[in-house]
Amino acid sequence: MMTCVYWEDKGEESQWSVDGCTASSSNETHTVCSCTHLSTFAILLQTEEQEEEDPLLEMINLFCMCVGLAFLAVAILTFLLCRWNPKINNTARLHLCICLFLGHLLFLVGMSRTENAVVCAVIAGLLHFLFLSGFLWMLLETLQLFLLVRSLSKVQIIQKEGLKPLYLLLIGYGAPMVVVGVSAAVFADGYGNKDQCWLSKYRYFHWSFIGPVCAILTLNLVSFGVIIWKLQPTLANMKSDISQSRDTRLVIFKIVAQFFVLGCAWILGFFQSSLTVKSIFIIFNSQQGTFLFIVHCLLNREVREEYKRCFSCRFGTKEPPGN
């Protein structure tokens, strides 16, 4: 890393100092400095010991990412093809899986494509958009849950809960597009660098992703607190309808667990200080698709019945009479 400095002479104590000097721009051959005073200036190259890539860790990452992508693909097909209860709105879950699938796939095949600066910048911008969209869809699913709980508290007939799909699509993809557009307009060079196709840390540009993510995670935590607080008296009044109470608790468990798996994976990514933390981050981050498949597909009775029917038709087995 290049640092602009000047020679600060204090009699017996003299040293290079960065006070009043900043690097305006830098590339592989030139660095432009800007200083607010006159003195003897220099550019210092700060060399950091680069960590060697661990081949075993790379193989584990590749294998885990492929497994996660496979389960995301199955989950997407399930949400698209299975026959669901008309009261269930799966728009948020479907598009959460789509964003994660495209984001992880692009991350796997495009993160290291740094040969062409323009292509690298486009990849970084798309990753920024897809991962922000994924987090926002997670927030929208929490909003759907909040609206469901509100309808339960009013002891009314539950219609198809939540916002209309069109509104969800406008919010889920429109808001991240605005964030990426504004970020690119303010500092277009922040997308991509010579090491990887992701957001640059120069001028704290990476906070255009970290900031919205932290805000979404905070809103999710607050929303869960409000939902649980409002749900306590509602569940107490639903004891007569044990089935509905059990289904509601299961929905809440799924979405809360989903929040912790998706959120904690990225929080670990901010603190990769050791090989152990890196390994845990790789496993949690790459297996998001596996987790979503288990929670929203395998733990869903209607989906399991659909799977049984599909396998029965595929392999020519007949279901037992009465099913």
Side-chain angles (χ1 to χ4, degrees):
M1 182 177 65
M2 298 295 182
T3 304
C4 297
V5 297
Y6 80 98
W7 185 252
E8 185 179 23
D9 190 355
K10 294 184 177 180
E12 295 181 357
E13 296 182 2
S14 298
Q15 61 183 2
W16 292 110
S17 174
V18 298
D19 293 340
C21 291
T22 58
S24 301
S25 61
S26 181
N27 56 34
E28 295 181 356
T29 58
H30 297 81
T31 298
V32 178
C33 296
S34 176
C35 296
T36 60
H37 52 78
L38 299 175
S39 182
T40 301
F41 303 104
I43 297 176
L44 298 183
L45 173 62
Q46 297 179 351
T47 58
E48 298 179 356
E49 185 177 350
Q50 299 293 329
E51 297 183 5
E52 293 185 2
E53 296 291 339
D54 189 338
L56 178 60
L57 201 62
E58 288 186 353
M59 290 181 62
I60 293 175
N61 182 37
L62 178 61
F63 174 77
C64 290
M65 289 285 283
C66 290
V67 172
L69 285 170
F71 279 109
L72 275 174
V74 175
I76 292 171
L77 290 175
T78 299
F79 289 130
L80 288 173
L81 302 178
C82 279
R83 291 175 291 179
W84 295 86
N85 187 320
K87 295 179 181 178
I88 297 176
N89 190 337
N90 280 316
T91 302
R93 295 169 192 169
L94 170 63
H95 288 276
L96 169 62
C97 291
I98 291 175
C99 288
L100 288 178
F101 179 84
L102 295 177
H104 285 173
L105 181 62
L106 186 60
F107 183 90
L108 185 64
V109 302
M111 191 71 166
S112 59
R113 304 297 181 184
T114 58
E115 302 87 0
N116 187 301
V118 175
V119 173
C120 186
V122 171
I123 291 174
L126 287 174
L127 287 174
H128 189 191
F129 169 76
L130 289 170
F131 286 131
L132 272 184
S133 294
F135 275 97
L136 193 56
W137 280 113
M138 182 175 63
L139 178 61
L140 289 173
E141 188 168 4
T142 305
L143 175 62
Q144 300 285 86
L145 176 61
F146 174 79
L147 296 175
L148 171 63
V149 170
R150 190 181 65 173
S151 66
L152 289 173
S153 64
K154 293 181 179 179
V155 195
Q156 64 185 22
I157 298 175
I158 302 174
Q159 303 297 327
K160 192 169 185 178
E161 77 275 6
L163 299 173
K164 294 181 179 180
L166 178 60
Y167 296 149
L168 290 172
L169 291 171
L170 289 175
I171 299 172
Y173 292 117
M177 191 175 297
V178 170
V179 173
V180 174
V182 172
S183 301
V186 172
F187 185 45
D189 292 336
Y191 287 105
N193 54 57
K194 63 179 181 180
D195 298 319
Q196 59 183 1
C197 300
W198 183 233
L199 308 186
S200 171
K201 293 183 179 180
Y202 182 63
R203 290 171 55 177
Y204 302 102
F205 185 74
H206 58 298
W207 277 94
S208 62
F209 175 73
I210 297 176
V213 166
C214 291
I216 290 173
L217 293 179
T218 303
L219 284 174
N220 258 315
L221 280 175
V222 174
S223 301
F224 286 138
V226 173
I227 288 170
I228 293 173
W229 176 71
K230 292 178 81 61
L231 197 61
Q232 292 300 325
T234 303
L235 289 177
N237 295 329
M238 289 169 54
K239 288 182 178 178
S240 59
D241 190 347
I242 298 175
S243 176
Q244 187 177 6
S245 175
R246 183 176 62 250
D247 290 345
T248 303
R249 292 178 187 272
L250 183 59
V251 169
I252 294 171
F253 163 75
K254 289 179 180 180
I255 298 180
V256 172
Q258 170 185 292
F259 162 74
F260 281 105
V261 168
L262 299 184
C264 290
W266 281 99
I267 291 172
L268 285 172
F270 300 146
F271 303 99
Q272 297 187 51
S273 57
S274 66
L275 181 61
T276 302
V277 177
K278 287 182 178 180
S279 302
I280 296 174
F281 169 71
I282 287 174
I283 294 173
F284 270 80
N285 192 55
S286 62
Q287 295 309 299
Q288 291 174 354
T290 306
F291 171 80
L292 290 173
F293 172 76
I294 292 173
V295 167
H296 293 304
C297 297
L298 288 187
L299 294 183
N300 188 299
R301 180 176 54 82
E302 294 179 349
V303 174
R304 291 199 303 270
E305 291 176 354
E306 284 288 329
Y307 285 161
K308 289 179 182 178
R309 279 194 287 268
C310 289
F311 280 112
S312 298
C313 295
R314 176 67 178 83
F315 296 104
T317 59
K318 296 183 179 180
E319 296 184 5
N323 287 353

